[in-house]
Amino acid sequence: MLAVTSPPSALPHQSQIHHENLPQYVSAQIRQLSPDQTNRASMTRMAQRQGSAQAVEPNQRPIRRVATEAPEKPTLNGVTAAEDDGFGTTMNGDNRIRRPGALVRSNTDSAGPRRSSQPERPEHTEDSWELRHGYDEQYNSTEYLSQLSSTFYMYYTDKRHETGGKPRREDPSHNTSEWRMRDRVKTVSAALTLCLNIGVDPPDVVKTNPTAKLECWLDPTAGNASTNKMMEQIGKKLQEQYEGLSIRVRYKQYLDPSVEETKKFCTSLRRNAKDERILFHYNGHGVPLPTPSGEIWVFNRNYTQYIPISLYDLQTWLGAPSLYVFDCSNAGNIIANFDRLVAKHEEENAEARKNDPTVQLPTYGDNIQLAACGKTESLPTNPDLPADLFTCCLTTPIEISLHHFLLDSPLPKEVTLKDVKRIPGRTVERKSPLGELYWIFTAITDTIAWNRLPRATFKKLFRQDLMVAALFRNFLLSERILRAHGCHPMSVPALPETHNHPLWQAWDLNVEMALAQLPAMIAAEEGGPPYEYKHSDFFTEQLTAFQVYLSQGAPNHESPSQLPIVLQVLLSQAHRLRALILLSRFLDMGAWAVNLALTIGIFPYVLKLLQSAAFELKPVMIFIWARILAVDGGCQADLIKDNGYQYFLNMLNPNADLPVDNATEHRAMCAFIVAMFCRGFRQGQTVCLSPELIEICIGHLQDHQNPLLRQWSGLCISMLWADYPEAKWVGIRCQAHQRLCEMRKDLIPEVRAAALHALTNFLGIPDLTEQVAHYEESVATEVMSMTGDGNSMVRRELLVFFSTFVQRYPNKFLVAAFEQLVQEKEHLMPSNTNLDPNPKHGTLSKIPSSQSSQRSGSTRLSQDSVQGTMWLHLLIMSIDPHPEVARDARIVVDYVHERLLESPLGSQAQPLMNEIVRLSKRAEMAKSQPPSRQPSAAPNARRTPIAGSPAPPTLPKNESYLSMGMHRAASMAAALKHLTLGGPEPATPQDRPASAHHQRVPGGPLRSRVPPEWSKPPDVHDPTSQPKTYVKAKTPKPKGFTKRDPSTPPSIPLKSGFFEWSIEVLHFIEFKANHVRENRPLTDMPYQYFGEPQMRPIESEEPGSGDYNQKLWRRSRNEKVLECTQPLKDVAGTSKWDVPMGFFNNGTQPTKMCFHQFEDHLAIADDRDSICIWDWTKNQRLSRFSNANPPGSRINEARFINEDDQALLLTGSSDGIVRIFRNYESEDIQLVSAFRALTKMIPSTKMAGLVLDWQQGQGKLLVAGDAQVIKVWNAASEMCCMEIPARTSSPLTSLTSDAVAGHILIAGYGDGALRVFDQRLRPQSACQRIWKKHNQWITNVHMQRGGLRELVSGCRDGEVKFWDLRWQDEVKTVNALGTGKDGGVMRGLSVHEHAPVFAALVVLSTSHPMPWVSPFTPSHFPFTSSCPHEY
């Protein structure tokens, strides 16, 4: 059972507050920054603070701060609160956060710092106070505080942690919309059939008088021309009108044809067109109306009869694909019967295929029809309109629009119908009045179709064929005009109503503006005053509307109505730059926007613009192409046309000039484009291959300002090398492989993974000569050090390299695996326990492995070889703490073992494996025996797992030892783990006499002989939970983790998903930036640039968004918590902590506890591997999960990180593993990261395990324990950035540091020593002070993050000391056991971060644990105002 207590005057549901970023809440934002940003910001702060942080100078006199005024002290429940500690620290329990209050600024002493042989201690009075260690000088510095008020840094929240570095799909291009026309069909021939029979009216047609006469804007009855001549003129005019739509079509006029002629030219057209489309235009104004069955009429040879042609015959002659235009009354009858007869053709074809499957039959299904009116509708007979109004709408849209506007407008007009034809210009000249109108008309009709038609229909009708697209644009106009005259044009496929679209009003406005200027233009043409045509503002206004759409953020991914207009604006040089910039902003919204732009037809335009030499277009063109290739990588063949790829190769050159400030970002985009161009495209690799390109990429690898450029330069080389030996030789001559090996220490994990990706593709030159093997083995030697990388994505990429290397040298790995089996068997043999007494140290030392090899009679062939070393790394990685890394490594290990069994060595390997399994089981049985029954002689700690070490788990019943890499069943992996990483020795106190402690400690005198118990942890004899009663909790897995299928045989090489993930990240990474940076340093460049979005705030920082509101709520809540808890500091120091706040039944023995600063979360770790998360205000358990510790280890540390926003839970276990969990309080717990933070652990019976300290402000994780070094891990780069020698063989038991500045760390040891290290110095000289005032195991040492920055240490005998970094002696010593209580043990010590309180858990002689809460005053003298409390 656990109990939480608080002072009686504390507010309900409030607990300790220990916020390390307290001063940073002034005008700050919580943001998620990239590792590069974090590293550089940290280095900047460090450089600016070095002049003021002189905390470790032993001879510097501390500067006192004297309070000149005594402000009124706040009270809480009648109790006077303490003064502000200079940090604005507050304490509240419900949720804990801090906002900096007003810093207390006091006048300095008259004397500054002076040197002396011994530090002079200040005199303490009731009205004087100071921060410890001289920190008050820093915290009263405006410059220093301004640095602390900067942005918060959140760690382990990048996309590589959210996605696990895994692609969501195998190939990003497979999930894009199909915007290309794979089956593009062109209209190649056209039959213009005119059945006018001028002068003879058909019998079933009744015409008004006057009536419509014009055919193709010609009056057949006017003039003295003969009927045949007039027919020829009309036919020629119709052909000219169609040629205005598409000049590439072969047109043929058929004037008043007979049945035989119709059949002949139809069959001839189909024969010549083959599988292309045929246009059949039918004007039936001189023949009877179509019959109800859909028959149309022509003539006999003598023109004495009207002969019907059935649609069935017409379809037979023309076949498919075909485009039909029917301009006649009752044309709807044709549409109504057309599909029925097509179905009849298909049935006949199906029947014919049954009889003969090989028969070649024509198709009839792909047909498009346009009809002028419905079934019972007649064409308009208004004499002011042309008779072929439908044809005029389809072929001369501008002229008929002007004509219609003049007839329809009720306002008086100065322009007549005849003047309409006098508008100057041509439709192909966009700068002329007529050309501008046609340009606007095209944009409007495209936009109407885009907004009203389904996407598939729009793509088929408006993007597949130029002729079809032009006719359907004009068909939208015909629907509007003919509806005004009582007709309803029909089409197949049918279109929704478009006549009422709002854009038609914009069209009317532009028509009216053109007609308003027509009289002046006509007058100028006739010799009047010159007139300059005023161009329309239509495109400018539409671009502004598109800009407004972009500013709204495209809610729900709604398609912008102006997108087709933007496409048309690209044709204008005057508006092109603005249109491209707006288009790039639209593409920046994500893959859906890119798909929309490609569907609308953006690709041909941007492809053509690659030939433009316009300097100002280069940056935006690079951006647009990067966006397109990020979504659809299948544009490689298009780029090779007209050498379009050269555009980006030129811009990749660092000497190329770009008209932007962020030129390196655009070069990173160019590297991405070139990489996509070469990816799996041999033609692209061939044209790009040159030493210059590789040299350029190598040069960019050295660009420390832009990690994205480094990443994609590496991937560009990787894609150039992939399956291309010639490129690899060019890279060898340029020493590219050596430069890439140097990137293994890059600060950005993505860059390190990109280098590994490139080096993996470097392997595999077909001619495996000795020289090639030397190059490859040298690369393998360099990258093997990356097995200790803290990022799982990098380690998985390293396994891909290993698997490729294994496949490259299979026989050498078979030998290495076999020899490892032999060695493993020897280590497990009972007779192999050869111990060599070492009188010098009083211990039993192990016999070197070389002697073991000599006993076997031969030397290992794989010893000291690259393959042998890599095989050991593979075995170690098969028990990696990250499940995905371990899974991939086991695949490689299993593959080698299976090949070993199939090889000639298989007959010897199989008995070896069986024997290893048998010996391993015997070792497991020996471990399960009671300690008294274990043999007293300890086996070699480097060879065989011992009782205190992790035991290999048993196999599931459905898996063999081979399917799990054998390391799970046998003890190979466990032995290797101790061989390489070290492990605890099963020595007893008698095996390690007191003389072992007589070694000289660097920097200090010899310590006196002490009892062995004094240098052991207080809980060394605590019983652990029994396996029979311990319930295993669920183990969290990484997001998207998939288990390995045991039925699937292992295969190598492993497939890397890093390149695909890098492309996918371009779609959804959220990065706040502007295309042109304003007041932002170039060093803030993120490691993944092409994110969604780049040109607008990310979703979490967009006001009004859900994420933004949540962050705002959390920040407001935290500030309120700080505000109301500030007065509780003094209450905590002067009151009894005897009010119970909750009792929790954890179910297992708790060993570590950790409170969240702001949430009501309490994390409790037990003595095995389980963690429970409690809501301590409700006494409710929120979750329970396993830390996945191996047997024999336990959780040593648990910390919350990123507590200012959404916290993560960090755990450290005694095997040196650190794990980080997301959503720890829910059922959907995810493993964010797991890595081996502490290696080379010293075998010891004291088992300090792992101790750590987390610096949120600096993003550093300090790790130590049963090792001879203190490791400093950078959370942003996920690398070990510093190894500080521990300066003693005694285990390190506790770590603390100055969490604000982050430079000073203090370590406590098992022999009672304390050491002060300065990270700013070289590791060998980092130890600046040693205190040896304690005589026993240091239970805890802690420096307050707030308050007066007290440094408190305590050892197992209850002795608690207060320290100042500037003094050689302690400030004060107290005994937590009290007087007259000798023989007790202090089990735990916890110091409040801000309040003058520490708590000690002691066990008196009665073995009864008693927690004590002890206050100390601001004048540094504990226990002066009150006594410790027992309960």
Side-chain angles (χ1 to χ4, degrees):
M1 295 290 289
L2 302 175
V4 178
T5 62
S6 67
S9 56
L11 297 177
H13 312 308
Q14 294 172 351
S15 67
Q16 61 179 358
I17 307 301
H18 45 88
H19 197 289
E20 59 206 63
N21 292 330
L22 181 61
Q24 302 183 22
Y25 256 94
V26 177
S27 64
Q29 291 182 346
I30 299 175
R31 294 174 54 200
Q32 300 176 3
L33 301 182
S34 70
D36 191 62
Q37 291 172 295
T38 306
N39 292 338
R40 299 191 181 280
S42 300
M43 288 187 289
T44 302
R45 292 198 304 271
M46 181 183 298
Q48 293 175 345
R49 294 173 184 169
Q50 281 192 5
S52 59
Q54 304 293 333
V56 296
E57 291 286 348
N59 298 321
Q60 179 174 333
R61 178 181 177 180
I63 301 176
R64 283 192 304 174
R65 305 296 182 188
V66 181
T68 57
E69 294 182 5
E72 183 179 353
K73 300 180 180 180
T75 60
L76 179 67
N77 297 336
V79 181
T80 301
E83 295 90 358
D84 195 312
D85 60 5
F87 265 63
T89 309
T90 58
M91 298 192 335
N92 191 356
D94 188 33
N95 291 300
R96 287 149 293 282
I97 205 167
R98 77 214 37 212
R99 179 178 59 183
L103 284 168
V104 177
R105 291 175 171 269
S106 303
N107 296 327
T108 60
D109 251 338
S110 58
R114 60 182 177 88
R115 299 284 182 175
S116 62
S117 59
Q118 293 294 331
E120 181 179 343
R121 303 194 181 190
E123 297 180 0
H124 301 288
T125 61
E126 292 299 328
D127 57 350
S128 67
W129 61 273
E130 63 178 12
L131 292 179
R132 285 290 186 202
H133 325 297
Y135 287 162
D136 51 352
E137 180 179 1
Q138 300 176 25
Y139 299 145
N140 285 278
S141 168
T142 305
E143 179 182 0
Y144 186 81
L145 292 176
S146 64
Q147 293 297 322
L148 294 181
S149 301
S150 59
T151 307
F152 294 127
Y153 298 99
M154 299 292 111
Y155 300 95
Y156 297 101
T157 56
D158 296 305
K159 288 300 178 183
R160 65 175 179 269
H161 302 114
E162 295 181 6
T163 63
K166 301 181 292 295
R168 291 176 296 175
R169 52 181 181 269
E170 295 181 359
D171 191 343
S173 61
H174 293 168
N175 201 28
T176 58
S177 63
E178 186 58 38
W179 59 272
R180 290 182 182 269
M181 287 296 177
R182 303 297 180 186
D183 52 348
R184 180 181 289 275
V185 181
K186 297 185 295 183
T187 301
V188 296
S189 301
L192 306 180
T193 307
L194 299 176
C195 298
L196 298 180
N197 197 13
I198 298 174
V200 179
D201 293 335
D204 56 351
V205 175
V206 178
K207 295 183 178 180
T208 60
N209 190 14
T211 186
K213 298 180 181 179
L214 299 180
E215 297 285 349
C216 296
W217 300 103
L218 297 176
D219 187 355
T221 62
N224 299 323
S226 62
T227 302
N228 292 338
K229 192 68 174 179
M230 185 55 66
M231 280 291 295
E232 292 177 2
Q233 293 179 6
I234 294 174
K236 183 179 180 180
K237 184 66 174 178
L238 179 61
Q239 181 173 338
E240 291 177 355
Q241 293 175 181
Y242 266 106
E243 287 175 348
L245 303 180
S246 179
I247 199 172
R248 297 183 178 181
V249 179
R250 298 188 298 268
Y251 298 98
K252 187 68 174 177
Q253 305 168 27
Y254 299 99
L255 310 177
D256 292 339
S258 63
V259 175
E260 293 78 6
E261 292 173 344
T262 304
K263 179 179 181 181
K264 182 179 179 180
F265 72 70
C266 285
T267 54
S268 176
L269 285 174
R270 173 48 58 197
R271 182 171 57 254
N272 296 329
K274 297 181 180 179
D275 294 331
E276 301 293 345
R277 181 174 282 115
I278 296 174
L279 169 63
F280 180 78
H281 178 95
Y282 175 76
N283 185 328
H285 295 172
V287 294
L289 303 176
T291 64
S293 59
E295 295 171 320
I296 60 174
W297 298 86
V298 292
F299 305 95
N300 62 358
R301 291 186 177 181
N302 299 325
Y303 297 97
T304 58
Q305 291 181 344
Y306 299 107
I307 307 300
I309 298 178
S310 69
L311 281 177
Y312 182 86
D313 294 336
L314 187 62
Q315 293 169 356
T316 303
W317 301 337
L318 289 175
S322 297
L323 170 59
Y324 298 88
V325 177
F326 300 107
D327 187 356
C328 57
S329 299
N330 293 5
N333 288 326
I334 305 174
I335 302 297
N337 292 277
F338 198 96
D339 289 341
R340 176 178 58 84
L341 297 175
V342 168
K344 183 177 180 181
H345 278 292
E346 296 296 339
E347 291 175 1
E348 293 175 356
N349 287 348
E351 190 67 26
R353 289 191 182 93
K354 289 182 181 180
N355 299 329
D356 185 4
T358 62
V359 65
Q360 297 293 330
L361 299 173
T363 59
Y364 303 96
D366 187 7
N367 293 291
I368 299 174
Q369 303 115 51
L370 300 175
C373 56
K375 292 183 179 181
T376 59
E377 295 175 347
S378 298
L379 295 177
T381 57
N382 187 338
D384 293 329
L385 297 174
D388 59 345
L389 180 59
F390 185 62
T391 299
C392 290
C393 291
L394 295 181
T395 57
T396 57
I398 305 303
E399 191 171 350
I400 194 62
S401 294
L402 298 171
H403 205 93
H404 172 71
F405 182 82
L406 290 175
L407 293 176
D408 192 54
S409 176
L411 300 176
K413 295 168 282 293
E414 301 179 8
V415 182
T416 63
L417 293 177
K418 294 181 180 181
D419 295 335
V420 168
K421 299 181 180 181
R422 301 184 64 180
I423 292 184
R426 296 188 305 163
T427 56
V428 295
E429 299 174 351
R430 286 188 293 273
K431 292 184 179 180
S432 65
L434 185 61
E436 184 182 62
L437 280 176
Y438 188 76
W439 185 25
I440 294 174
F441 173 79
T442 302
I444 287 178
T445 50
D446 255 11
T447 304
I448 293 174
W450 171 258
N451 293 331
R452 290 292 175 87
L453 271 61
R455 292 289 178 262
T457 304
F458 175 85
K459 185 169 64 173
K460 176 181 179 181
L461 301 180
F462 288 82
R463 292 296 180 264
Q464 189 181 63
D465 185 357
L466 291 178
M467 175 61 78
V468 174
L471 286 176
F472 268 91
R473 284 194 210 97
N474 302 340
F475 178 79
L476 301 182
L477 176 66
S478 70
E479 185 185 22
R480 184 180 188 230
I481 293 178
L482 285 169
R483 274 180 176 269
H485 298 281
C487 293
H488 297 78
M490 302 178 65
S491 68
V492 176
L495 304 183
E497 292 184 358
T498 59
H499 66 281
N500 55 357
H501 196 279
L503 272 179
W504 285 121
Q505 300 177 11
W507 171 241
D508 291 339
L509 175 62
N510 284 275
V511 168
E512 184 177 6
M513 292 175 62
L515 290 176
Q517 301 180 73
L518 185 56
M521 290 187 290
I522 294 176
E525 185 180 350
E526 294 176 350
Y531 181 80
E532 183 179 357
Y533 180 74
K534 296 179 181 179
H535 292 280
S536 172
D537 295 332
F538 172 76
F539 290 108
T540 303
E541 294 169 352
Q542 293 299 316
L543 287 179
T544 302
F546 187 50
Q547 187 173 357
V548 172
Y549 163 85
L550 295 175
S551 66
Q552 295 175 349
N556 301 323
H557 293 177
E558 294 179 358
S559 173
S561 59
Q562 301 84 10
L563 193 58
I565 299 176
V566 175
L567 196 65
Q568 289 295 323
V569 175
L570 294 179
L571 301 173
S572 170
Q573 190 171 359
H575 302 288
R576 183 174 296 161
L577 180 59
R578 184 188 179 195
L580 286 174
I581 292 176
L582 292 177
L583 180 62
S584 65
R585 288 182 56 189
F586 175 67
L587 299 181
D588 186 57
M589 291 184 173
W592 67 272
V594 177
N595 284 326
L596 280 179
L598 293 175
T599 303
I600 199 65
I602 188 68
F603 189 77
Y605 292 80
V606 295
L607 182 62
K608 187 67 175 178
L609 285 175
L610 291 180
Q611 308 304 319
S612 173
F615 183 65
E616 67 277 2
L617 297 183
K618 293 184 182 298
V620 67
M621 286 298 299
I622 293 172
F623 180 88
I624 289 175
W625 269 97
R627 277 301 187 173
I628 292 175
L629 289 175
V631 174
D632 189 350
C635 305
Q636 297 154 316
D638 301 283
L639 282 175
I640 210 169
K641 297 176 183 177
D642 301 324
N643 296 328
Y645 67 92
Q646 197 67 39
Y647 190 92
F648 307 105
L649 288 179
N650 295 336
M651 292 299 102
L652 186 58
N653 194 316
N655 297 324
D657 192 16
L658 283 170
V660 288
D661 295 334
N662 52 350
T664 57
E665 298 179 13
H666 288 79
R667 290 196 176 92
M669 288 186 264
C670 289
F672 163 70
I673 294 171
V674 175
M676 293 295 296
F677 177 63
C678 295
R679 182 190 181 202
F681 187 54
R682 179 51 59 88
Q683 289 178 277
Q685 291 174 307
T686 304
V687 297
C688 288
L689 177 59
S690 66
E692 291 76 16
L693 175 60
I694 295 182
E695 290 287 356
I696 288 173
C697 291
I698 291 175
H700 289 322
L701 290 176
Q702 311 305 318
D703 188 339
H704 300 292
Q705 300 295 322
N706 195 324
L708 179 75
L709 181 56
R710 301 199 302 271
Q711 175 186 348
W712 279 105
S713 295
L715 291 176
C716 182
I717 297 176
S718 177
M719 292 298 101
L720 188 62
W721 279 349
D723 301 324
Y724 194 22
E726 291 81 1
K728 298 176 185 178
W729 281 113
V730 174
I732 290 174
R733 287 189 286 271
C734 296
Q735 297 183 343
H737 59 294
Q738 298 180 10
R739 302 287 82 77
L740 286 167
C741 288
E742 296 172 359
M743 304 307 294
R744 69 186 186 276
K745 297 181 180 180
D746 195 276
L747 295 179
I748 306 302
E750 284 77 7
V751 178
R752 302 198 296 271
L756 283 172
H757 194 280
L759 292 173
T760 302
N761 283 333
F762 175 75
L763 303 176
I765 297 177
D767 189 10
L768 185 55
T769 62
E770 184 177 351
Q771 181 186 15
V772 172
H774 171 71
Y775 288 139
E776 294 181 347
E777 289 181 354
S778 64
V779 169
T781 303
E782 294 289 337
V783 302
M784 273 192 286
S785 62
M786 301 179 72
T787 53
D789 197 286
N791 184 265
S792 61
M793 179 178 65
V794 176
R795 299 201 301 275
R796 289 207 315 273
E797 200 63 30
L798 180 63
L799 282 173
V800 176
F801 177 90
F802 284 174
S803 66
T804 307
F805 196 83
V806 169
Q807 187 187 43
R808 183 74 165 160
Y809 304 92
N811 294 333
K812 293 185 178 181
F813 278 94
L814 294 182
V815 173
F818 180 79
E819 292 182 344
Q820 186 63 35
L821 289 174
V822 174
Q823 187 181 20
E824 175 70 8
K825 178 186 174 183
E826 293 176 355
H827 295 161
L828 290 175
M829 293 292 292
S831 61
N832 194 37
T833 309
N834 296 296
L835 302 178
D836 181 22
N838 191 338
K840 180 178 180 180
H841 298 290
T843 59
L844 297 176
S845 63
K846 49 189 175 295
I847 297 177
S849 60
S850 60
Q851 298 182 19
S852 177
S853 300
Q854 292 175 3
R855 289 198 316 270
S856 63
S858 63
T859 304
R860 293 179 56 193
L861 297 177
S862 62
Q863 187 174 1
D864 298 330
S865 68
V866 175
Q867 289 78 12
T869 306
M870 186 177 293
W871 178 245
L872 294 179
H873 281 295
L874 282 169
L875 291 174
I876 295 171
M877 296 182 76
S878 66
I879 54 170
D880 192 272
H882 198 279
E884 292 174 341
V885 178
R887 176 198 61 194
D888 293 347
R890 291 167 196 166
I891 293 176
V892 182
V893 172
D894 286 358
Y895 176 85
V896 174
H897 282 154
E898 288 192 0
R899 298 291 82 78
L900 178 62
L901 294 178
E902 297 171 359
S903 69
L905 292 174
S907 58
Q908 302 179 49
Q910 185 64 64
L912 278 175
M913 293 182 179
N914 296 336
E915 183 65 13
I916 290 174
V917 173
R918 186 185 66 82
L919 294 174
S920 177
K921 291 181 178 179
R922 187 173 67 180
E924 289 293 326
M925 294 177 61
K927 292 177 185 179
S928 62
Q929 295 177 358
S932 59
R933 297 173 57 187
Q934 302 250 349
S936 59
N940 192 330
R942 293 188 57 184
R943 299 304 183 188
T944 308
I946 42 77
S949 66
T954 58
L955 280 175
K957 295 183 178 180
N958 60 345
E959 295 183 356
S960 66
Y961 63 88
L962 264 182
S963 68
M964 295 302 294
M966 199 189 70
H967 60 276
R968 286 294 187 182
S971 59
M972 178 183 295
L976 286 172
K977 177 182 177 183
H978 292 80
L979 173 66
T980 307
L981 305 174
E985 288 185 0
T988 61
Q990 291 77 14
D991 296 328
R992 303 184 65 88
S995 60
H997 297 282
H998 284 250
Q999 301 178 12
R1000 178 177 296 273
V1001 179
L1006 289 173
R1007 298 180 62 86
S1008 59
R1009 184 181 301 271
V1010 295
E1013 291 294 330
W1014 285 18
S1015 58
K1016 288 188 177 182
D1019 56 354
V1020 67
H1021 299 299
D1022 285 358
T1024 59
S1025 301
Q1026 298 299 322
K1028 295 182 180 180
T1029 61
Y1030 191 83
V1031 179
K1032 188 75 174 179
K1034 180 181 178 181
T1035 302
K1037 300 296 182 183
K1039 184 177 181 180
F1041 174 75
T1042 56
K1043 292 184 178 180
R1044 178 184 169 192
D1045 186 1
S1047 63
T1048 303
S1051 63
I1052 60 171
L1054 300 173
K1055 301 300 181 183
S1056 171
F1058 175 72
F1059 191 89
E1060 289 75 13
W1061 174 80
S1062 298
I1063 300 172
E1064 285 188 6
V1065 170
L1066 311 187
H1067 303 329
F1068 60 81
I1069 187 164
E1070 298 178 346
F1071 160 48
K1072 181 182 180 181
N1074 293 319
H1075 194 55
V1076 178
R1077 306 290 177 106
E1078 296 181 358
N1079 300 325
R1080 183 168 180 179
L1082 193 60
T1083 56
D1084 286 348
M1085 175 63 202
Y1087 54 90
Q1088 294 157 327
Y1089 175 79
F1090 312 99
E1092 180 194 89
Q1094 294 177 36
M1095 303 181 188
R1096 60 186 176 89
I1098 62 175
E1099 183 69 17
S1100 59
E1101 296 184 10
E1102 185 74 42
S1105 65
D1107 292 342
Y1108 181 86
N1109 291 339
Q1110 292 178 13
K1111 285 181 177 291
L1112 192 64
W1113 178 86
R1114 282 192 292 267
R1115 181 179 178 184
S1116 176
R1117 175 204 62 184
N1118 297 348
E1119 291 177 348
K1120 291 181 179 178
V1121 170
L1122 294 174
E1123 183 178 357
C1124 66
T1125 56
Q1126 172 65 22
L1128 295 182
K1129 287 188 303 180
D1130 195 49
V1131 174
T1134 57
S1135 303
K1136 290 186 177 182
W1137 288 57
D1138 54 3
V1139 178
M1141 298 298 296
F1143 296 89
F1144 318 109
N1145 185 1
N1146 202 53
T1148 55
Q1149 179 179 344
T1151 57
K1152 294 293 178 180
M1153 297 172 55
C1154 181
F1155 281 95
H1156 193 290
Q1157 296 186 70
F1158 308 119
E1159 302 286 352
D1160 300 327
H1161 296 164
L1162 171 63
I1164 302 176
D1166 62 16
D1167 59 343
R1168 296 285 292 275
D1169 70 341
S1170 294
I1171 301 173
C1172 294
I1173 306 297
W1174 291 83
D1175 185 329
W1176 61 270
T1177 62
K1178 301 178 181 179
N1179 294 350
Q1180 177 184 357
R1181 193 174 75 180
L1182 303 178
S1183 64
R1184 180 176 182 265
F1185 58 94
S1186 171
N1187 195 53
N1189 296 348
S1193 64
R1194 65 176 182 174
I1195 302 172
N1196 288 122
E1197 297 284 355
R1199 304 288 176 88
F1200 289 106
I1201 66 175
N1202 300 346
E1203 293 177 272
D1204 300 292
D1205 193 38
Q1206 292 178 316
L1208 306 175
L1209 181 63
L1210 182 147
T1211 64
S1213 51
S1214 59
D1215 57 349
I1217 303 299
V1218 169
R1219 293 176 176 85
I1220 301 173
F1221 300 94
R1222 180 194 299 117
N1223 304 330
Y1224 58 85
E1225 78 284 1
S1226 66
E1227 295 298 328
D1228 184 26
I1229 306 172
Q1230 297 175 2
L1231 179 68
V1232 177
S1233 180
F1235 60 96
R1236 193 174 299 277
L1238 198 61
T1239 58
K1240 302 178 183 178
M1241 301 182 73
I1242 303 174
S1244 171
T1245 59
K1246 301 171 184 178
M1247 293 183 297
L1250 177 144
V1251 295
L1252 59 83
D1253 188 47
W1254 168 250
Q1255 297 178 349
Q1256 180 71 42
Q1258 300 296 320
K1260 291 182 180 179
L1261 181 66
L1262 312 178
V1263 182
D1266 290 329
Q1268 294 182 345
V1269 295
I1270 302 172
K1271 287 197 172 187
V1272 181
W1273 287 84
N1274 190 308
S1277 63
E1278 300 185 62
M1279 292 180 64
C1280 179
C1281 59
M1282 193 175 188
E1283 287 192 8
I1284 304 175
R1287 306 291 297 272
T1288 180
S1289 61
S1290 179
L1292 198 151
T1293 64
S1294 181
L1295 262 181
T1296 188
S1297 64
D1298 173 17
V1300 181
H1303 306 313
I1304 307 301
L1305 65 93
I1306 302 94
Y1309 293 84
D1311 58 0
L1314 296 173
R1315 286 176 174 82
V1316 180
F1317 300 90
D1318 191 338
Q1319 300 181 50
R1320 294 167 293 185
L1321 304 178
R1322 295 174 57 251
Q1324 291 75 13
S1325 58
C1327 183
Q1328 294 294 292
R1329 188 177 298 283
I1330 302 178
W1331 291 312
K1332 296 184 177 180
K1333 303 299 182 179
H1334 291 290
N1335 296 321
Q1336 298 192 26
W1337 181 282
I1338 299 297
T1339 302
N1340 191 19
V1341 57
H1342 187 79
M1343 177 185 287
Q1344 286 185 305
R1345 292 188 176 95
L1348 299 182
R1349 309 304 306 281
E1350 291 285 359
L1351 176 59
V1352 184
S1353 67
C1355 62
R1356 71 190 309 272
D1357 62 357
E1359 192 177 55
V1360 179
K1361 294 180 180 293
F1362 294 78
W1363 305 90
D1364 192 301
L1365 294 174
R1366 300 164 294 179
W1367 300 344
Q1368 185 64 42
D1369 298 326
E1370 69 273 20
V1371 177
K1372 183 69 175 179
T1373 301
V1374 297
N1375 197 308
L1377 300 180
T1379 58
K1381 297 180 180 180
D1382 296 336
V1385 177
M1386 185 169 68
R1387 302 290 300 272
L1389 174 68
S1390 180
V1391 181
H1392 201 284
E1393 296 292 353
H1394 301 286
V1397 173
F1398 72 84
L1401 179 63
V1402 300
V1403 177
L1404 303 180
S1405 58
T1406 58
S1407 299
H1408 176 64
M1410 301 185 67
W1412 285 34
V1413 179
S1414 304
F1416 51 88
T1417 66
S1419 57
H1420 310 306
F1421 293 98
F1423 307 107
T1424 57
S1425 59
S1426 60
C1427 298
H1429 309 297
E1430 302 179 11
Y1431 58 96

